[in-house]
Each structure stands twice: as C-alpha cells, then as structure tokens.
Amino acid sequence: MAKHFAVAGGGWAGFAAAVELVRAGHRVTLFEAARTLGGRARRVSIDGRELDNGQHIMLGAYSESLRIMRAVGVDLRSAVLTLPLQMRYPPAGGGMDFLAPRLPAPLHLGMALLRARGLSRADKMALARFSTTARWMDWRLNNDCSVTELLERFDQTPRLVALMWRPLCLAALNTPPERASAQVFLAVLRDSLGANRAASDMLLPRADLSALFPDAAAAWLQGKGNAIHVGAKVTAARPSADGWSVHASGAALGGDWTGNFDGVVLAASPAATAGLLGASTQFAELASQLAAFAPEPITTCYLQYAPGTRLELPFYALVDDPASQRWGQFVFDRGQLDGGQDGLFAVVISASSEAASLPQEQLTAAVAAQLAVDLAQPGLAKPVWSKVITEKRATYACAPGLKRPGNETPAKGLVLAGDYTAGEYPATLEMAVRSGVQAARLLAKAKP
C-alpha cells in the first residue's frame, strides 16, 4: 500500500531518499529551508555568476550516485568529464606526474607507477609496498588509527606523503592526515587506487552541483505528483496517533504549516537533526553521537582571467605549504568543463580553517601568486575578478574511531539520512546518496 512520507532536507541525501521512496511506489513531500537545492553541495549566485559552493571530484566507484542520477534522467555523458585516475602537478611546481593508463586493473596502477615522473625509486617502491600490503589486508584495520600513523607503519617516504597521501587524504576526508581516520582513508583508496579501471576514473561535474542531481531530482519528483517546498524549514516532527506530525514554516507554505505523514526522513546536518530531535530521553544516546561531530570547512577561491586563459589539463594538484602562504591544493580550469566559464579557475583548499581566517584579498593574492609561480605564467598573479567562498560546515572531521549513527532511530517511522551516518565512506556525495537510499529502504519496508 502506498504511503506518504516527509523528507526534511533538500540536499543529496534527502533527494536520494525521496527518489528511492517514489520508485518504491510511495509519495513524498520534501522541505528545504534554503532557496537553492543541494544542501552543502549546491549552486551559489554571485555578481551575476552561478558558481559552486565548492569544487568536487566524483569517482567511477560512486555506484549509487550514478545509478540514482540516471534514474532521474541525468545524461552522465554530458554531465561529467571522465578522466583516468591521476595526480598531476604543473611541471614548474616541483611535484610529480602520476597518470593511470586505460588498462585493466591492476595493470593500470602498475604502469602508472612505472611511468610516474618526479618520484625516486624509493618513492615508487614505497607506493608499491603500500598498495600490495593494503590489498593483502583487504583494505581493513583491526584497530583504527590516524592516517599519519598508518603511513609511518607502511614506511612511506616524506615525498610520497607530501605529493600523494596528504593531498588525497585532504581531498577525500577533508581532515588533515594527523587526525584523520586511517580506516575510512583505506576505504577510499580501495575504490580508487585499488579499484578496477572504470571504478577508479575521476568524474568532474560540468554542471553546477545543484543542477547535477538535486534540480533534476526535484523536476522528476514533481513530474510524478510529489511536492517540493523550497524556503520551507521543518521546525518539529512529532509522533501522532497514525504516524508523524510535521511542523514547518516559510513563505512557500504561507507561514506556519502542519501536515501528517506515515514516516519522516531527517536529511539535515547533524546539528540541525539534533535540534529537531529535541531533548527527549528517547534520543539521548543519538544526541550524544550527533554532538561529537566537529565541522570542517572547505574554501574555494575563484579567479577570473581573460577569455582564452587555460590550463594544459582540466585540473592540477598543487604543492601546498601554509607556512609559505601556499594555500592551494588543487586548481580546476572551469572553462574546460563549462564553455560559459572560459578563463575561470577554481582553487580548492580543504580543511581550510587557517586559510579561511585570512582577509579574502590576502588569500586571493596568495593563491594567485602560487598559480603564477607553479604554472610559470606571471600574468596569473593578477586576475580580473575573484571571489572566495568558504563552506564552514562542508563536512565533519573524520577522526579515528568516530562513532557514526545508523539510519534507524529509536522512534518507529523516523530515519536519518546524511553523509555522517554509519558507512565506509567519509562525508562525500556518494556517502550522502547511499545513506538516503538506505533510509528510504528502511521506511519502505517498515510495517504499519
């Protein structure tokens, strides 16, 4: 029998849950407090430009994300640029050049290692030793530890740590290696360095993050008669005699609003979810878990140059050194992804608390100077326009042994969805989608 469910949150987890519920034959009403869909991975409009609040890279291993995007009609061939696994630095930047050819696994990794430039024989032997031992361990640890401790156990060289492991850890976990979970890091490596060739591919979104999935999902849901309320904040969810009573407010609802549902998906941040759960002793343990999540920011510095200004590749890794005011970790040529953004570069700084504390003009100048040196193009030091966007709660600090709550709650008919819930992956788009799908399946199979 078809049921009617409420979804509180219009990010990737919320829409994954909504789509999965509708595909199972149910009806949904989704509420999003902001006026733009996407949650912490969304489009922002600044100075007449539509940008992302943070540049993302997806992996071919993101099976649930790719599946559900196809389900709502996203043409992945045009939506993303697919590149082989790589870690490539500008020739003048003092880094390395690591590119996996399109060969079956594990030949692609072996050939990439053999051909890699900028690494010594000791560096290559360390990488090969890490990969071989991690496979033997099935990419798992008996006891979690920090990524730094893991790399020390595997006798990784300082150069390999600086050029491969540290940037990968920052990009994937948004947490510095010295306080990042080695077990979660290994799960990411399993599906990149340790995966088959297609799964290890890197997917760069061409469309903005709202258009990439949430907007498409909203249109698909509305086309099937489901309601999407934007600018509508859920303020409470309480059990009722025949299900759940949801209270919300916003101009889109005409003020305060109350509706009855068979169940609820809470697809908000840990802090917002804790607020909705309230002070009930029923949720005391869950509230304690949610309180343990510490936010980590991501900063993206957009630099606009004259039309025709391009990188030789769609993106490069950068050698960062905050002590020398080198903040950038990756630079993306947005013009190679979207023809309407010709000459626009996006420089990403993960775990960016220190960088984000700087005045925007100072940070922009430092990042532009870094590009000018590393790319051997002095003109890059003087962009014609710039903007710094910091998503202060982009992810949570992915610490060793962090206990993440499951999708189920102590209350029947109330489930959680979000990248912070229990799972192998860190706070990525794929983890958000997987969580949303799991939450939907729990609700859909629940007995009245």
Side-chain angles (χ1 to χ4, degrees):
M1 185 178 80
K3 298 179 181 179
H4 187 191
F5 297 107
V7 178
W12 285 62
F15 273 107
V19 169
E20 197 70 9
L21 284 168
V22 171
R23 283 168 57 84
H26 302 291
R27 186 161 59 96
V28 300
T29 295
L30 184 143
F31 304 86
E32 169 52 45
R35 299 193 176 278
T36 302
L37 300 175
R40 287 170 287 119
R42 68 188 184 283
R43 173 179 59 244
V44 293
S45 298
I46 298 174
D47 295 344
R49 304 165 187 261
E50 292 191 342
L51 308 171
D52 283 324
N53 69 326
Q55 177 69 48
H56 279 62
I57 296 180
M58 303 173 71
L59 294 176
Y62 283 12
S63 56
E64 283 298 273
S65 297
L66 301 179
R67 177 188 69 82
I68 209 157
M69 288 165 69
R70 291 189 186 99
V72 299
V74 175
D75 180 4
L76 291 171
R77 289 173 297 180
S78 61
V80 299
L81 173 65
T82 301
L83 300 172
L85 176 69
Q86 56 193 273
M87 183 66 78
R88 312 185 75 179
Y89 289 78
M96 68 175 185
D97 192 62
F98 180 94
L99 173 65
R102 295 192 179 280
L103 295 172
L107 291 177
H108 70 315
L109 182 59
M111 189 61 68
L113 188 56
L114 183 65
R115 294 177 177 176
R117 296 193 299 272
L119 295 178
S120 69
R121 182 177 183 276
D123 298 327
K124 293 181 179 182
M125 290 296 292
L127 178 52
R129 182 170 59 251
F130 185 103
S131 177
T132 300
T133 307
R135 286 176 185 275
W136 177 79
M137 295 166 50
D138 195 27
W139 307 92
R140 295 183 184 278
L141 296 171
N142 290 327
N143 296 294
D144 201 0
C145 62
S146 73
V147 170
T148 295
E149 184 178 345
L150 177 73
L151 298 177
E152 290 172 350
R153 289 181 191 174
F154 280 65
D155 294 323
Q156 298 301 282
T157 64
R159 183 167 177 79
L160 193 60
V161 170
L163 298 181
M164 176 71 86
W165 302 131
R166 183 174 185 274
L168 281 179
C169 180
L170 286 169
L173 278 65
N174 195 36
T175 308
E178 57 269 18
R179 52 186 180 87
S181 165
Q183 182 56 74
V184 176
F185 187 54
L186 283 171
V188 174
L189 294 180
R190 179 198 62 209
D191 291 344
S192 51
L193 291 179
N196 64 55
R197 187 206 54 77
S200 69
D201 279 345
M202 305 175 98
L203 313 181
L204 275 59
R206 294 183 183 276
D208 66 70
L209 293 172
S210 293
L212 186 61
F213 172 60
D215 287 351
W220 184 87
L221 289 166
Q222 289 173 319
K224 296 184 176 297
N226 301 280
I228 309 294
H229 298 300
V230 179
K233 180 179 181 179
V234 172
T235 55
R238 300 187 178 95
S240 62
D242 54 356
W244 284 84
S245 176
V246 171
H247 304 267
S249 64
L253 300 171
D256 293 334
W257 180 95
T258 300
N260 294 314
F261 298 90
D262 294 296
V264 179
V265 179
L266 296 185
S269 68
T273 298
L276 289 171
L277 292 175
S280 170
T281 56
Q282 182 182 24
F283 301 116
E285 181 179 354
L286 177 55
S288 177
Q289 287 181 309
L290 295 173
F293 288 90
E296 283 280 3
I298 295 178
T299 296
T300 304
C301 183
Y302 286 99
L303 304 171
Q304 179 68 60
Y305 298 99
T309 305
R310 298 184 69 128
L311 300 177
E312 292 187 12
L313 302 175
F315 81 101
Y316 281 111
L318 301 171
V319 179
D320 70 322
D321 181 11
S324 301
Q325 295 295 295
R326 293 176 55 87
W327 301 101
Q329 296 157 0
F330 291 90
V331 56
F332 295 80
D333 184 348
R334 289 296 312 171
Q336 295 190 45
L337 302 173
D338 179 354
Q341 296 183 334
D342 187 22
L344 181 67
F345 292 177
V347 179
V348 178
I349 309 169
S350 296
S352 63
S353 296
E354 187 178 359
S357 68
L358 299 174
Q360 290 201 9
E361 296 81 3
Q362 181 180 338
L363 180 59
T364 297
V367 168
Q370 180 183 0
L371 293 185
V373 171
D374 286 7
L375 295 164
Q377 297 183 43
L380 296 181
K382 300 292 184 182
V384 299
W385 177 89
S386 64
K387 182 64 181 178
V388 174
I389 299 176
T390 296
E391 184 66 25
K392 294 181 179 180
R393 295 179 175 271
T395 71
Y396 55 86
C398 192
L402 178 66
K403 190 173 181 181
R404 294 156 61 175
N407 297 98
E408 291 185 278
T409 75
K412 181 180 177 181
L414 181 72
V415 295
L416 307 181
D419 58 14
Y420 66 90
T421 57
E424 291 185 308
Y425 272 25
T428 57
L429 298 179
E430 174 69 1
M431 186 60 232
V433 170
R434 289 187 184 188
S435 179
V437 169
Q438 176 65 12
R441 290 174 179 172
L442 286 171
L443 274 188
K445 74 176 184 181
K447 295 181 180 179

